Amino acid sequence: MRILLTGAAGFIGSAIADALTDRGHEIVALDALLPQAHGAPPPTRHPLVRGDVREAELVRELLRGVDVVCHQAAMVGHGVDPSDMPDYAAHNDLGTAVLLAAMHETGVRRLVLASSMVVYGEGRYRCAEHGRLRPGKRRAEDIAAGRFEPPCPHCGQPLEPELVPEDAVLDPRSTYAATKLAQEHLAAAWARQSGGDVRALRYHNVYGPWMPSGTPYAGVASLFRSALQRGQAPHVLEDGGQRRDFVHVRDVAAANLAAVEAPAPEGELDAVNICSGQPRTIGELAESLALACGGPAPEVVGGARANDVRHVVADPTKAERVLGFRARVDFADGVREFAAAPLREAVGQR
C-alpha cells in the first residue's frame, strides 16, 4: 500500500516509517520538524518532505494515490503552561481538520490516528464499599501532606486502581489531552460525513531509542534518562507510586503496522489501547533506569504537576482481539536498551 505518514521524522513516526517500509509498503513521509521535538535534523533512512500538515495544497498533492493516512504529526507532552494552548490547538486540531478536509477532497477513506491515554484523565477505580466510580479530586493540601491516592467521593477512603478499557469515561486534564480528544471527535465527524473509517490508537507511555531530550515536551522516561546522562539523580514526583504502562516504541510501530493492514473497523471511529499490559510505577522506571545507566539513585521529591493523574493503566485485550497486536518488548529488556540508546539532540542545540 501507499501510505501518507505525517510526523514521519518524529520519535514514534520514524519507528513507524521503518516498520512500514520493512513490510514492503510505500510511504510518503511528511514532517514539519517542530523545534519542540527536533533539536537537529533527525537520522532517517526515508526521503522526507518538510512541510506542515496545515498546508492544504501540499497535503492534497501528497495524498495522490494514497491508500491510507497514518497521522502522527502533533505537538506532544505536558507542555509549559496555558500559554501553549494556541500552538497545541493549531498544530493538533487545525492540522487534523485540514488533513481530513484534504482526504475528503481527494477520496482517501482510511485513517490511522495517533491518540493517547491522556484522553482518559484519571484511570478506572474501585472503592471497597461503593464499587466502581470516578475518584474525587486530589486536593493541594493532601498532596502537600503526602496523601497522593485519589479518594472515594462518598467515603473519602483510598481507591483501588483497575485496568482502563476503551469505553471508559473520557476526562482530559491538560491542553494536550484536550487536543487529542478533539482530534478523535474531528476524525469521527469526518468518518460520518465521508463514509471513511478511523482507528484511533491510544498510546500509553512510549519510550525507546531516539526520544527527544532537553525539552519540557518530552516524556518522563526521557527526562529521567537526560538527568542520568548529565550525572544527576532523576527527580521523582509524589512518592513514585504512580502507576503507568510503559510501551516500547517498536511495539507502537508494530501496532500501527497492524492497524494499517487490518480490515476496516466497524463504526465511525474505533479506539484501541496500545500498551504493554505490564503496569509499572514511575519509581520503578526511575530505579531501573538509574541501575541500567550506572547513575545516581533517584530522589523522591514529593509534590505533583498541576492536574497530573495518579494512576492510568490500560486494558490490552481489545488490541489483541481486533489487531492481533500484543507488545513483545519486556520492560526490563526495554529499559536496559534505552539506557544505552541514543537520544535526540537537546532542543535548542546544534
Side-chain angles (χ1 to χ4, degrees):
M1 285 187 283
R2 183 175 172 89
I3 300 158
L4 173 60
L5 174 61
T6 71
F11 162 50
I12 296 174
S14 58
I16 295 170
D18 289 345
L20 291 173
T21 53
D22 288 348
R23 186 74 165 201
H25 296 294
E26 177 187 1
I27 66 166
V28 180
L30 174 67
D31 202 296
L33 298 180
L34 295 180
Q36 294 92 334
H38 303 286
T44 179
R45 45 184 266 215
H46 311 284
L48 182 69
V49 177
R50 182 167 185 171
D52 197 309
V53 75
R54 295 170 294 180
E55 299 174 35
E57 186 174 348
L58 171 64
V59 173
R60 285 194 295 269
E61 178 68 23
L62 296 179
L63 283 168
R64 290 184 180 179
V66 161
D67 302 295
V68 185
V69 174
C70 189
H71 183 34
Q72 307 295 315
M75 271 187 70
V76 302
H78 196 75
V80 178
D81 58 43
S83 65
D84 287 332
M85 281 186 170
D87 283 341
Y88 273 105
H91 286 289
N92 297 358
D93 299 335
L94 177 59
T96 298
V98 171
L99 173 64
L100 293 169
M103 291 176 67
H104 173 66
E105 292 163 6
T106 55
V108 180
R109 294 288 178 265
R110 291 203 63 193
L111 175 66
V112 175
L113 173 67
S115 188
S116 171
M117 58 89 171
V118 294
V119 300
Y120 296 120
E122 279 285 359
R124 175 172 279 196
Y125 291 85
R126 178 178 293 276
C127 173
E129 181 178 352
H130 297 99
R132 184 175 292 151
L133 44 69
R134 299 293 295 168
K137 180 178 175 59
R138 296 202 298 169
R139 302 180 304 172
E141 55 266 36
D142 287 336
I143 289 173
R147 296 187 293 269
F148 300 113
E149 296 297 331
C152 173
H154 305 296
C155 65
Q157 294 301 306
L159 302 172
E160 181 66 27
E162 296 185 334
L163 297 181
V164 181
E166 288 81 358
D167 61 359
V169 174
L170 304 181
D171 182 23
R173 300 291 185 91
S174 68
T175 297
Y176 172 61
T179 62
K180 296 309 287 185
L181 183 54
Q183 282 184 310
E184 289 195 15
H185 287 319
L186 288 166
W190 165 83
R192 282 193 295 271
Q193 295 175 71
S194 70
D197 64 78
V198 184
R199 273 225 164 84
L201 305 184
R202 291 176 178 164
Y203 304 157
H204 285 251
N205 291 68
V206 187
Y207 73 101
W210 297 110
M211 287 190 82
S213 64
T215 167
Y217 300 91
V220 66
S222 174
L223 299 178
F224 289 166
R225 169 68 200 287
S226 296
L228 289 161
Q229 194 165 275
R230 297 190 299 268
Q232 300 171 353
H235 283 184
V236 179
L237 297 179
E238 302 186 24
D239 59 357
Q242 310 95 299
R243 296 177 73 206
R244 299 291 188 270
D245 187 306
F246 297 99
V247 58
H248 196 278
V249 68
R250 284 197 300 274
D251 282 327
V252 173
N256 275 270
L257 174 63
V260 164
E261 295 182 342
E266 297 180 3
E268 295 150 357
L269 181 143
D270 189 42
V272 184
N273 287 327
I274 303 301
C275 58
S276 71
Q278 300 177 17
R280 303 285 176 174
T281 68
I282 297 290
E284 283 181 273
L285 173 68
E287 290 168 2
S288 299
L289 197 51
L291 183 63
C293 289
E299 295 178 6
V300 177
V301 298
R305 294 190 305 185
N307 295 318
D308 209 356
V309 301
R310 179 63 175 173
H311 304 297
V312 55
V313 176
D315 185 340
T317 306
K318 183 177 179 181
E320 186 161 10
R321 175 169 54 83
V322 303
L323 298 179
F325 167 77
R326 184 172 58 186
R328 302 294 181 186
V329 180
D330 178 74
F331 177 78
D333 294 337
V335 168
R336 280 194 295 270
E337 178 198 16
F338 180 53
L343 297 177
R344 291 181 183 239
E345 188 175 288
V347 171
Q349 298 180 10
R350 294 283 180 181

